[in-house]
Amino acid sequence: MIAYIVRRIALIPLTLFGIVSLNFLIVQFAPGGPVEQVLAQVQGIATNATSRFSGGGSEIGTGGPVGAYRGAQGLDPDFIKEIERQFGFDKPPLERFVLMVKNYATFDLGESYFRSQRVSELIIDKLPVSISLGLWSTLIIYLVSIPLGIAKAVRDGSRFDAITSYAVFIGYAMPSFLFAILLIVLFAGGQYWSWFPLRGLTSNNWDELTAIGKVLDYLWHLALPVTAMVVGGFASLTMLTKNSFLEEINKQYVLTARAKGLAPNQVLYGHVFRNAMLIVIAGFPATLVGMLFTGSVLIEVIFSLDGLGLLGFEAIINRDYPVVFGTLYVFSLIGLVLNLVSDLTYHAIDPRIDFEAQSA
């Protein structure tokens, strides 16, 4: 297993290099780079949604092609060249790519084009919000789906099984962003009640609250975004739990335990539970990856939560390429590490699972 871990760790830098390289190549052909954004602002026709140009530059230029900028007529060519130099676009693409890779190898993610702040500082500042959403959503999904899946397995084919199946699949079919808008309309002052806050994770008087008040305020702000994220996450884990328990219940050792006169709960929780829960528990890291990367981005945007999802969205809108590549780099690294943790969890829970033998 040690050799497998070493191989997986060695593959992480190569995978990151491939991800960054592919996205750098795509960006070279994307229209409307940061230089064009600035020139549009100078001419009063800017379309960027959130950030303002502050004159700051970055040593890492990863944007679109440099040359004739549409709409730049009438501007001083020296001024345009100065903007290109500040963003690093006075260098050829290959040189910019090599410099970016060297800096990323030492976790130097450069400086934001429009925020006058290091990308690493921005990510560290926003990461707790995304982690809060991902962890709470994953925990709630597990706390609901596992008991529900066990109950469905025990009552397989009953009316309860059918009704709960309809309920979880309706939630699965509803996009999280659409459900988030519905929650805002109903409970955040959109049309009916104003029971929950619409933005942020804390109130303006956070510092004045007691310790218990801070906890309650934090949970109050998390209620709607976490609800929107988890509504579609119950189906797969619930059915996985149900099918895993059904498979174990029909095995010979369970029939033997029943024949010995053990009570149903003794059979279920004393014999079936440990074996059936192996795949469910081991999949926790992978579920967390999914909630962090696919569930939180739109939710952060809709609820104006200042996390990595909103940061990346604003960076894409404003062509703030150091932030785009920095968040992509961190997301990819976290995902690769958590996938390795997921494999190790499988092996720790069930030593019979040997990834090293499978890859040989």
Side-chain angles (χ1 to χ4, degrees):
M1 194 64 182
I2 298 298
Y4 173 77
I5 295 173
V6 172
R7 285 199 301 269
R8 285 291 300 271
I9 293 176
L11 282 174
I12 289 178
L14 295 176
T15 307
L16 287 173
F17 177 80
I19 293 172
V20 171
S21 301
L22 178 61
N23 284 274
F24 181 88
L25 182 63
I26 293 173
V27 162
Q28 301 313 301
F29 300 99
V35 176
E36 290 186 349
Q37 292 272 358
V38 173
L39 296 180
Q41 290 184 21
V42 171
Q43 295 181 309
I45 55 173
T47 57
N48 59 328
T50 51
S51 300
R52 303 299 298 172
F53 174 62
S54 61
S58 173
E59 296 179 358
I60 303 176
T62 58
V66 177
Y69 295 102
R70 200 170 42 178
Q73 292 84 356
L75 294 179
D76 186 353
D78 292 334
F79 172 75
I80 297 176
K81 289 182 180 180
E82 175 62 20
I83 298 299
E84 293 174 0
R85 186 194 64 78
Q86 289 184 354
F87 287 131
F89 293 136
D90 56 330
K91 304 179 182 69
L94 181 59
E95 183 178 346
R96 286 187 275 121
F97 176 73
V98 172
L99 179 60
M100 183 182 69
V101 171
K102 287 181 179 179
N103 290 336
Y104 277 25
T106 59
F107 288 91
D108 179 4
L109 305 181
E111 184 175 335
S112 169
Y113 286 158
F114 302 105
R115 293 174 180 260
S116 297
Q117 190 175 357
R118 303 291 298 175
V119 175
S120 56
E121 295 174 358
L122 283 171
I123 291 175
I124 292 173
D125 184 47
K126 313 299 183 184
L127 192 58
V129 175
S130 298
I131 290 178
S132 291
L133 290 174
L135 280 177
W136 280 110
S137 301
T138 305
L139 287 173
I140 291 173
I141 288 173
Y142 266 75
L143 289 175
V144 173
S145 297
I146 290 175
L148 181 59
I150 295 174
K152 286 173 65 63
V154 173
R155 299 171 177 82
D156 182 42
S158 67
R159 178 177 294 182
F160 171 82
D161 182 32
I163 293 174
T164 54
S165 293
Y166 283 125
V168 295
F169 281 112
I170 288 174
Y172 182 74
M174 178 176 290
S176 60
F177 72 90
L178 185 61
F179 190 66
I181 295 173
L182 177 62
L183 291 176
I184 290 174
V185 171
L186 292 177
F187 303 115
Q191 178 109 19
Y192 296 96
W193 303 282
S194 184
W195 293 347
F196 295 93
L198 183 58
R199 61 183 66 241
L201 284 184
T202 56
S203 299
N204 294 330
N205 63 336
W206 166 264
D207 295 331
E208 303 172 5
L209 299 176
T210 63
I212 296 178
K214 289 181 178 180
V215 172
L216 294 177
D217 183 74
Y218 170 72
L219 295 176
W220 182 47
H221 282 76
L222 271 179
L224 292 189
V226 170
T227 301
M229 288 181 65
V230 304
V231 67
F234 296 123
S236 58
L237 185 60
T238 299
M239 300 310 296
L240 175 64
T241 304
K242 174 189 174 181
N243 293 334
S244 180
F245 270 80
L246 281 178
E247 182 180 356
E248 293 296 324
I249 287 173
N250 294 322
K251 288 185 177 179
Q252 184 62 43
Y253 75 90
V254 176
L255 299 177
T256 303
R258 287 173 175 171
K260 291 181 179 179
L262 293 180
N265 283 343
Q266 287 180 302
V267 176
L268 182 64
Y269 295 104
H271 294 76
V272 175
F273 188 84
R274 181 181 182 275
N275 293 328
M277 287 298 294
L278 290 176
I279 190 171
V280 177
I281 296 175
F284 184 88
T287 305
L288 179 58
V289 170
M291 297 308 296
L292 282 173
F293 297 157
T294 62
S296 65
V297 176
L298 284 176
I299 299 301
E300 288 182 18
V301 173
I302 292 172
F303 287 97
S304 298
L305 298 174
D306 203 9
L308 283 183
L310 182 59
L311 176 67
F313 174 78
E314 292 180 350
I316 292 172
I317 294 295
N318 296 312
R319 305 299 193 270
D320 195 346
Y321 290 131
V323 177
V324 173
F325 277 79
T327 53
L328 173 68
Y329 183 78
V330 171
F331 269 138
S332 300
L333 179 59
I334 293 175
L336 291 171
V337 171
L338 287 179
N339 281 330
L340 175 58
V341 171
S342 178
D343 289 348
L344 296 179
T345 306
Y346 275 110
H347 181 74
I349 294 176
D350 188 357
R352 295 172 298 177
I353 300 176
D354 189 353
F355 293 102
E356 186 173 354
Q358 293 177 8
S359 60

